[in-house]
Amino acid sequence: MEDPLGPGVREVEHTADVGIVVEASDFEQLLHRAAVGVFALMYGKADADLGPTDLFNPLGTRVHLGASDDQGNQAGMPRPITVVGSDPAAILLKWLRELLFLHETEGLAYRRATFDVVDEERVSATVWMGPEPTPAACEFKGVTYHDLDVTPGVDGWRARVILDV
Amino acid sequence: MPSDSTIQVRQVDRYRWLVPKQGPMRVDGLVFADRRLMADVRGDQALQQVVNVATLPGIVGHSIAMPDIHWGYGFPIGGVAAFDPDEGGVVSPGGVGYDINCGVRLLRSDLVVGDIRPKLRELMNQIMRDVPAGVGVGQRDLRLGPQDLLGVLEKGARWAVEHGFGVPADLDRIESGGALSGADTAAVSPRALERGRKQLGTVGSGNHFVEVGYVDEVYDEHAAHVMGLDLDTVTVFIHSGSRGLGHQVCTDFIDVMLRATAKYGIDLPDKQLACAPLDSDEGKLYLGAMNAAANFAFANRQVMMHGVREAIERVLGRSWTKLGLDLVYDVAHNNAKWEEHQVDGRRRKLCVHRKGATRAFPPGNAELPAAYAEIGQPVLIPGDMGRYSFVLAGTERASQETFASTCHGAGRQMSRTQAKKSVRRDGRDLRREFEEMGIEVRAASFATVAEEIPEAYKDVADVVDVVHQAGIGRKVVRLRPLGVLKG
């Protein structure tokens, strides 16, 4: 069965918030997989079987915050992102923060990225975002340092991230 | 899920548990819970977080946990801690949370259940139209220019009233008059401003809501009457916070505080407790930005309330003033505030952090509106969306033991994942379940409702009974839901 949060990503239990564990062959893949996993969680990709999204929304009312409202649909436009940090954990946290900021201000979801620079203190990438057909099911207020762990190993990288809901 | 079975705990009485100083703790921990709730508390990392908070510099009294405590990040949710600047006390964004000044407000009305029940479906649809909810959802008609936004950050709910969202009398019924002094708008980043620009008057997502309900049980008739909450009275609960603006302020300052932690040589057991001395530049800057975000939250709930009043006017065809839709109170449960409290026999000015805990001033407190001077501050405790919520009053004992604080809600007992698994496993028809309970539910997404099913939360009656029996809150009324709009 296909992993609903994307390859190498699984959700971990947290009483109040949401966490993921990500495994990847290298740091670049870890960043991509974490982004895919976070947006899959936000858009309820694992919850499609729960019930019709609009079951409790008979009016279908929603007003997007995104750029598409007042500046035209900018989906597909590449966006440069650069983050610097003291270690891989800080890089991952800031990478996800950047993507969530773009999501909240433009209403677009992560699609893919090409990475120009990837090391343990700096990442420079071009990111493509796009609209989702259904509204996001949850909002992540922040990416936390709580239990944040990014570890290189013999077989690749592993990360654990908790997001505030 | 990791648990805290190795932490020493000593039962003090039926509702109090002491966590004696151990390791680097500077003060004891104090948990309010009965035996059953305490077993829940020990089931995850919440107790460890009580211990962690007790290690922070300048903490005085106890590291306190309310009976709705659960595992958060940094501070536990349901945590209270006070810091003395004269003892090197600190301020920590992790002790406030991402949703700065998140809180609840309660409206009462002259309506009774029979007046509203026949129009409930129409009313919930109208509230859904007038009070935007959900992720990535902003206000269609209220997009703030730069000067407006600065006005919101400086004036809080007063800005909203000055712009036609409510009346001056509302301000008297809001904690701190609906505006914290000392807001430093220059300390709020452009990103935070951008995130807040379109979000004033919106519910957000997660556990935020607008709930139409009614008083179904009265415990203290006099206090209930003073609050306008006689039996059968229709009410509206509103729960939201500072939205993306507050989230960004927290994000920005955790990084500032991590640098400050290193600069001031503070040892942390959890990075999310990053902090700075209250009298440092970093500490002052955070408090200035936090106060500004808190004012956004007060204004947000004020604008939301205006939307609710207009929705009810449209559906019932009478003005809200004629319907007696008055604000009972608005109280926050995520902030850090300067307050004076008695500790170790002397009055001290302390920075009280409440993260998922409610301020609960006793009768006679100078900040309370005249109407509540005799009964104490209304304390609003929402439960889950299927059972009930409570209104309490602040007590003198809370003033003595908990820096005038009490619980803030039911507290989750199931993770969101577990809640959805439960819905999926049992093939539940949630819409029918709520219809059978007589509750009209509206939500931007199905998953939100699945995550917020009643059993995902502790029974708020158990939580409230602990604070009532322990004397750190006094039950006034219970409210039952009729219609719920979830974020």
Side-chain angles (χ1 to χ4, degrees), chain B residues 61-80:
Chain B
H62 295 99
S63 169
I64 298 166
M66 293 299 158
D68 49 337
I69 180 181
H70 52 284
W71 182 17
Y73 45 84
F75 275 52
I77 297 164
V80 178

Side-chain angles (χ1 to χ4, degrees), chain A residues 77-82 95 98 102 116 124-128, chain B residues 191:
Chain A
M77 276 186 60
R79 284 144 175 86
I81 288 182
T82 297
W95 162 253
E98 289 295 313
L102 280 175
D116 304 316
S124 183
T126 302
V127 172
W128 279 262
Chain B
R191 283 197 161 198

Side-chain angles (χ1 to χ4, degrees), chain A residues 16-46:
Chain A
D17 296 312
V18 165
I20 54 170
V21 166
V22 186
E23 291 175 330
S25 57
D26 55 35
F27 191 46
E28 179 177 316
Q29 188 183 57
L30 187 86
L31 294 170
H32 170 69
R33 286 186 166 183
V36 169
V38 164
F39 278 84
L41 271 174
M42 204 186 320
Y43 279 89
K45 302 286 187 191

Side-chain angles (χ1 to χ4, degrees), chain A residues 83-159:
Chain A
V83 293
V84 293
S86 55
D87 55 43
I91 292 286
L92 175 63
L93 178 136
K94 291 179 180 180
W95 162 253
L96 293 175
R97 279 182 183 169
E98 289 295 313
L99 297 176
L100 292 178
F101 177 76
L102 280 175
H103 175 260
E104 184 162 319
T105 52
E106 300 189 18
L108 301 173
Y110 176 82
R111 293 277 186 271
R112 65 188 174 89
T114 57
F115 293 88
D116 304 316
V117 179
V118 181
D119 63 40
E120 295 181 11
E121 295 184 351
R122 177 185 165 87
V123 163
S124 183
T126 302
V127 172
W128 279 262
M129 311 280 284
E132 289 286 323
T134 57
C138 70
E139 175 179 53
F140 294 131
K141 295 172 185 167
V143 188
T144 78
Y145 282 100
H146 178 64
D147 275 355
L148 177 65
D149 183 44
V150 178
T151 315
V154 177
D155 299 326
W157 287 72
R158 186 175 187 279

